[in-house]
Amino acid sequence: MIEFQNVKKRYESKKQTVEALKGIDLIVEKGDIFGVVGYSGAGKSTLIRLVNLLERPSEGEILVNGKALTSLKPKDLRAEKKKIGMIFQHFNLLNSKTVFDNVAMPLILSGTPVKEIQTRVNELLEFVGLLGKAKNYPEQLSGGQKQRIGIARALATNPSILLCDEATSALDPQTTSAVLQLLKKVNQEYNITILLITHEMSVIREICNKVAVMEGGRIVEQGPVFDVFAKP
Ligand code: ADP
Ligand code: ADP
């Protein structure tokens, strides 16, 4: 599903070179809820931005659904991007648009017929439990509700993979739990593979089946959550 083969990433500027990833090997299998945990600066955001095609690796290869990302042509890259949804720590909703329009945005951008957009957005809002908020604006919602909208938007184009970048870090513990349970439902009911990054071990324990622990641009441990955490 997602495979990193000896991936290195350097950020180069005139002043200095930062080696953010120093040789990452990672396999996320279909159906996994795979968590990457580590302190700030470990390289987690870089790793997720490489999957989402926001960054290019300096060395190595990343395979998504069996395709090598570095060898794809621009047209195929766009098609691949649609198969990957993403949610963010600060939700990244458009404040000037209604909840409905926020969720519809990826469908509007990909030229989906209006009727189809109506049906799909209503179905997604129902799935995340916020059909009643369709006409509201993001600032009228709580943090947990905003992230539910973020999830609905990420699912709009029917992706096979959902990337989560510190998706619950801005939420209180109770809301965090509710959003994590919704992610579990996304994984089970839509059969979507989830790759999430977090600095919180509790998030990993609550929903992940596999974990990679990152430190200084390397994975220092990787495996089923039970095995990794069972070690003394
Ligand atoms: P994390 O998400 O675990 O906090 P990051 O991937 O953001 O880690 O960062 C890993 C390292 O790469 C850090 O030293 C960070 O300062 C550096 N870094 C991240 N993005 C950039 C960038 N665009 N330019 C230069 N350095 C960067
Ligand atoms: P996050 O809170 O998700 O870890 P970061 O603070 O690491 O986000 O990064 C926010 C943005 O700043 C990213 O686009 C990243 O590329 C950039 N960035 C991070 N560290 C550096 C750095 N040392 N130099 C330049 N840009 C950086």
Side-chain angles (χ1 to χ4, degrees):
M1 177 106 291
I2 304 171
E3 183 170 354
F4 278 64
Q5 297 173 339
N6 196 22
V7 171
K8 297 181 184 175
K9 177 64 185 179
R10 288 180 290 273
Y11 294 108
E12 295 178 55
S13 67
K14 272 177 212 150
K15 278 198 194 137
Q16 58 165 354
T17 298
V18 178
E19 199 170 17
L21 299 180
K22 299 172 181 164
I24 298 290
D25 290 293
L26 182 93
I27 295 182
V28 179
E29 284 169 295
K30 190 163 171 54
D32 277 345
I33 303 184
F34 195 113
V36 177
V37 66
Y39 296 118
S40 180
K44 306 183 298 294
S45 307
T46 299
L47 184 139
I48 217 163
R49 287 202 301 267
L50 286 166
V51 178
N52 209 19
L53 303 157
L54 295 169
E55 299 277 3
R56 290 264 189 181
S58 308
E59 284 176 47
E61 186 58 86
I62 300 160
L63 303 168
V64 175
N65 297 322
K67 288 180 191 150
L69 294 185
T70 54
S71 62
L72 289 176
K73 297 190 177 73
K75 184 173 130 280
D76 299 324
L77 271 182
R78 244 175 287 133
E80 284 311 306
K81 264 191 164 170
K82 270 193 222 162
K83 296 182 198 160
I84 302 174
M86 183 148 173
I87 58 171
F88 307 88
Q89 179 173 4
H90 299 293
F91 325 119
N92 295 10
L93 300 176
L94 297 170
N95 286 321
S96 63
K97 301 274 179 199
T98 63
V99 161
F100 184 97
D101 286 345
N102 265 281
V103 177
M105 196 53 67
L107 298 170
I108 295 168
L109 292 175
S110 66
T112 309
V114 176
K115 272 250 170 72
E116 216 173 289
I117 292 180
Q118 287 280 351
T119 312
R120 180 81 182 132
V121 172
N122 286 331
E123 176 189 303
L124 287 164
L125 287 176
E126 187 164 11
F127 178 77
V128 301
L130 288 174
L131 194 50
K133 300 284 183 192
K135 291 185 176 140
N136 287 82
Y137 287 84
E139 58 197 12
Q140 300 171 301
L141 305 180
S142 68
Q145 289 172 332
K146 283 183 197 165
Q147 194 58 289
R148 284 168 184 273
I149 298 306
I151 292 168
R153 179 184 56 186
L155 299 181
T157 55
N158 250 323
S160 55
I161 296 168
L162 179 64
L163 305 176
C164 311
D165 183 356
E166 297 282 2
T168 54
S169 299
L171 306 175
D172 63 58
Q174 256 186 332
T175 314
T176 290
S177 240
V179 168
L180 292 177
Q181 289 314 309
L182 178 60
L183 289 176
K184 210 167 191 173
K185 198 170 110 173
V186 167
N187 172 255
Q188 288 170 351
E189 291 186 19
Y190 284 109
N191 199 19
I192 290 176
T193 303
I194 295 179
L195 174 60
L196 66 84
I197 61 174
T198 181
H199 66 278
E200 294 172 303
M201 237 19 150
S202 56
V203 168
I204 306 281
R205 284 180 197 278
E206 194 161 339
I207 59 162
C208 295
N209 65 318
K210 293 196 196 132
V211 62
V213 182
M214 281 190 81
E215 255 175 52
R218 296 179 205 279
I219 292 176
V220 294
E221 261 189 281
Q222 179 173 188
V225 170
F226 183 80
D227 291 354
V228 171
F229 288 166
K231 283 175 192 160

